[in-house]
Structures are given as structure tokens and as C-alpha cells.
Amino acid sequence: MSTIYEITESHPEPVIKPITDADVKGDERRWRRGKVPVAAGESLKADGTPDYGIFGPDTVVWEVFTHPAMVIFHHAAQKLAQDVYKPIQAAVRDYEPLNKKARAGVFTLFDAMERVTRGAGMHVPLWLGDTPTAEHMAAWLHRIHEPLKGDVIDPGEPELGGYDAVSHRETMWAVYTEMHPMLCAYEAFAFRGLRPPRRLSPEKRDRFIEETSHYAILHGADPDRVPRTMAELDAAYRHDAKLFEHSDTVQNQLDTGESILDLSARVSKKNWDKTQTKALKVIFLVILGMETPMLGALPREYRLAHGLSPAKATWAAIAAKLFLPVAWVLQRRFVERRWIRILWGPDGMRLIDHARRVRAEHLKAQERIDTRA
């Protein structure tokens, strides 16, 4: 990862360095942790069959994630969902390295851009790698998250108690607030050939949630308690509804009481220079520029949790429909190819492209079987 500030004897205070196009693009070190990921199907299981990892070409997860729309839309969908689950917000408030940089006065928009792209891109080996690759990445993430514990989720609501990033509850919601928004974004914005976006059948939606349960279990969630259908996921949302309600205090630092978001905004403004525009363009594309329509694609409860009034929540749903012409352009190949490398990294790009080829071959083979039958 790029270091964009330096401290020297002649400059004892941090000096923010200009960022370049190469900094924005990054290299594999931004996303890769440990060994080079092996793509699903590139290795064999003990029985000699291809190892497709957690999911595979016949899963609904692959149908959804390998669609070109996900290159652009997944980042916003995941961030907007995870930004309102209070235990995740609390862990970010207390432990996120970027917040430490904000407190040190060296946080910039480039840091924010790196975090947005890295957070999503690091999960591609879990979705599109073979089993050892997925298990390696899951184990690494577990080690990183294991120390993230706190006694206070929300200083404004101490009755909510504390959080533990590797507990069943936090592990389960970290996964479902990642995967359910992916499905919502796909259903709202993914054009399939000449056909406009549409909701999957109830059967396929249940399959998506059931497939996601295996992903949650790999991360350490309790196999007996993870949702396996949309109805069970809806019930889980209702059970933990208090943890998704809007809060004006959950981002307040426990020692100073100041919102970490306000601090980060103030520090990034202080450290602004014109080269930060390169990072701002990426942030605008994948987060700021589509915030309202993406909220409209998510369940109404998410919109209300973001503090939208009922009227604004309704407007967001309308905005999602009005956004469709832009969504169509953003998933054209000439746009997708421009952004896939920046948003998902070289390993992610390779894994996505490979999975698309494997899935296309699988569908053709299945078509031949169906024809003969």
C-alpha cells in the first residue's frame, strides 16, 4: 500500500505527499494477504474433480457476483448496509486504522479510497477461489478481527451492551450485510441482455441465502443459527432490529465524545491538495454518486436506519428507478474494463474473469445436456 505522508528531521510534522495515477491504481499488495489466490476450478479435489471453492459455477452467488454490474455497484451496496449495523460501526470507531490516522492528523481522501476498494476486493478469493484459497483468506480475516471487542456499542444507548467481532452475531451480520446487499443491487440494476433488472424468483432468492450460509459458517458463524432462507433472514433482521436503528451517537469516540466521521472530514480537508481529486473521483463513482439510488435498492429498513425520513426513503426507491439509464452505461464493457482493475485489484480481476469463463462453459455444457434430454 502506498505511503502518502512522511516525517523527516527537516519536517517533523507529517508532510502529505501528492498522489499519482499509479497510487490510485495500486498493486496486488493492497488486496493480497499471503499466498497468490488460486482460482476456482484451477485445482482438483482429492477425488480428482475440479475444486470450485465455497460456491461454484452452478450457484446463484456466482450468477449474481460475476455479472458486470457488480464491478461498480457492490462497493456502495455493502458499505451502505454495513454502515448501519451498530456493532460494525463500533468496531470501526474503536479499531479502524484510518481512524487512528485521523487522530494523528494524517488521514486523507486517498486513505478512504484505498479502504473502500480494499475492503471489497479482499473478499474475492473467498467467493471465486478454490477451497484452500477461501479457507486461507477466512482464517486471515478471523485473526485480524479476533481482537476487535468492546464493552460499548453506542455511548448514547449503553443498554445495547458490547460487541465481539468474531462472535456468532457479528460474524453472521458481517456476512449477510455483505451478501444480501449484493443481491439487492443485482436485482435493482443488473441488465440481463436486453432484459431490464428484475427480482429473482423466490426459489433462487432462497438458494442465494442458503449458499451464503456456507460462507458465514466458514467465517465462524454457528451452523445451527445462520439463516438459510429469505424468511429466516427477515426473522433475523427483526430479532436484531435495535442494532440496525438510526443513531446519532454510535460514531462518537468514547474518550472525546467527538464523532469520528466529523474528525475524519476535518482532517482530510486540512490535508487536501489537488492530487486528492484522483481519489475523490473513485469515491464519487462507487459511493457518493450513487448513494441515494443504492439506498433505494436496499430494503426500506436500511433507508430509515440511515436517517432518511419516510418521504425521503420513498424518494430513494424512485431514484433507483430513475438511475437505470446510468446503471446500464456503467455495466457496459468499456466502462467495466476501466474500473475493474482499480476497484478489485489484479488478483480480483483475474479471479472474476476466470469465474466468468468457467460459468459460461458450465452453462453451455448444461445446455447440451438439457438438449439431449
Side-chain angles (χ1 to χ4, degrees):
M1 293 178 286
S2 303
T3 299
I4 58 158
Y5 68 92
E6 56 186 2
I7 301 175
T8 64
E9 290 185 7
S10 58
H11 294 284
E13 293 296 318
V15 176
I16 305 300
K17 297 163 60 178
I19 65 172
T20 66
D21 290 337
D23 290 327
V24 172
K25 189 176 183 180
D27 60 28
E28 66 275 359
R29 289 173 297 176
R30 180 180 294 169
W31 294 271
R32 185 184 297 171
R33 297 296 180 268
K35 62 182 182 179
V36 178
V38 177
E42 284 188 339
S43 65
L44 299 178
K45 297 179 183 178
D47 62 4
T49 59
D51 184 340
Y52 292 120
I54 307 174
F55 301 119
D58 58 346
T59 62
V60 184
V61 168
W62 269 37
E63 175 186 338
V64 170
F65 182 67
T66 59
H67 190 282
M70 291 301 100
V71 167
I72 303 291
F73 298 131
H74 174 75
H75 294 70
Q78 177 181 341
K79 184 177 188 303
L80 288 170
Q82 296 194 334
D83 276 355
V84 294
Y85 180 61
K86 292 179 185 178
I88 290 180
Q89 293 183 75
V92 169
R93 176 196 68 212
D94 296 342
Y95 291 98
E96 169 60 54
L98 294 196
N99 293 340
K100 295 179 182 178
K101 295 185 78 170
R103 296 182 188 105
V106 295
F107 174 74
T108 69
L109 288 179
F110 175 75
D111 295 315
M113 183 222 77
E114 271 204 319
R115 184 65 180 89
V116 166
T117 59
R118 183 175 69 250
M122 286 173 60
H123 288 78
V124 184
L126 285 154
W127 304 328
L128 305 180
D130 68 358
T131 300
T133 293
E135 290 176 343
H136 165 79
M137 200 65 205
W140 186 88
L141 289 169
H142 185 89
R143 288 196 302 273
I144 291 300
H145 290 125
E146 194 168 19
L148 311 189
K149 303 176 183 179
D151 296 328
V152 179
I153 292 175
D154 187 342
E157 294 183 84
E159 63 272 18
L160 290 178
Y163 64 89
D164 180 346
V166 295
S167 66
H168 164 76
R169 186 186 70 186
E170 266 69 277
T171 297
M172 182 189 77
W173 282 123
V175 167
Y176 283 95
T177 56
E178 175 182 57
M179 302 298 283
H180 184 211
M182 179 197 296
L183 175 64
C184 294
Y186 175 79
E187 293 180 326
F189 300 126
F191 285 80
R192 291 157 240 180
L194 298 177
R195 293 174 295 174
R198 68 189 186 282
R199 175 173 282 207
L200 295 178
S201 68
E203 292 76 19
K204 292 189 82 170
R205 298 185 100 230
D206 281 347
R207 274 185 57 198
F208 182 92
I209 300 303
E210 197 278 331
E211 291 163 5
T212 296
S213 71
H214 301 293
Y215 178 43
I217 291 166
L218 178 65
H219 277 287
D222 185 343
D224 296 326
R225 298 165 64 193
V226 293
R228 296 178 185 271
T229 65
M230 284 301 306
E232 290 179 2
L233 180 61
D234 290 342
Y237 275 123
R238 290 193 298 272
H239 181 271
D240 290 329
K242 292 290 291 183
L243 299 176
F244 285 92
E245 291 178 354
H246 178 66
S247 170
D248 291 322
T249 56
V250 69
Q251 294 287 354
N252 292 353
Q253 301 173 82
L254 302 182
D255 51 353
T256 67
E258 181 183 16
S259 167
I260 192 64
L261 298 179
D262 292 343
L263 175 63
S264 298
R266 188 171 72 252
V267 172
S268 65
K269 184 177 180 180
K270 175 180 71 73
N271 293 330
W272 170 265
D273 70 52
K274 64 181 181 181
T275 66
Q276 296 288 325
T277 303
K278 300 177 189 296
L280 182 59
K281 288 178 180 177
V282 179
I283 294 172
F284 182 83
L285 172 72
V286 300
I287 301 295
L288 302 178
M290 62 178 70
E291 180 173 322
T292 298
M294 186 58 72
L295 280 173
L298 296 177
R300 184 177 179 83
E301 290 74 14
Y302 276 113
R303 293 173 241 158
L304 298 177
H306 271 275
L308 272 62
S309 67
K312 288 183 177 179
T314 299
W315 162 245
I318 297 171
K321 299 296 184 184
L322 297 176
F323 187 72
L324 284 177
V326 178
W328 184 87
V329 172
L330 290 176
Q331 57 200 270
R332 296 307 94 197
R333 184 172 176 80
F334 72 93
V335 178
E336 185 241 27
R337 288 290 95 182
R338 165 70 177 83
W339 288 101
I340 189 171
R341 171 62 180 78
I342 292 174
L343 297 180
W344 297 97
D347 288 340
M349 182 177 180
R350 175 175 58 83
L351 293 174
I352 292 169
D353 287 344
H354 179 81
R356 286 173 176 172
R357 289 193 298 271
V358 169
R359 183 167 184 272
E361 292 167 1
H362 172 80
L363 292 177
K364 286 181 181 177
Q366 191 62 50
E367 212 173 276
R368 288 194 294 269
I369 293 172
D370 293 342
T371 300
R372 286 197 295 269

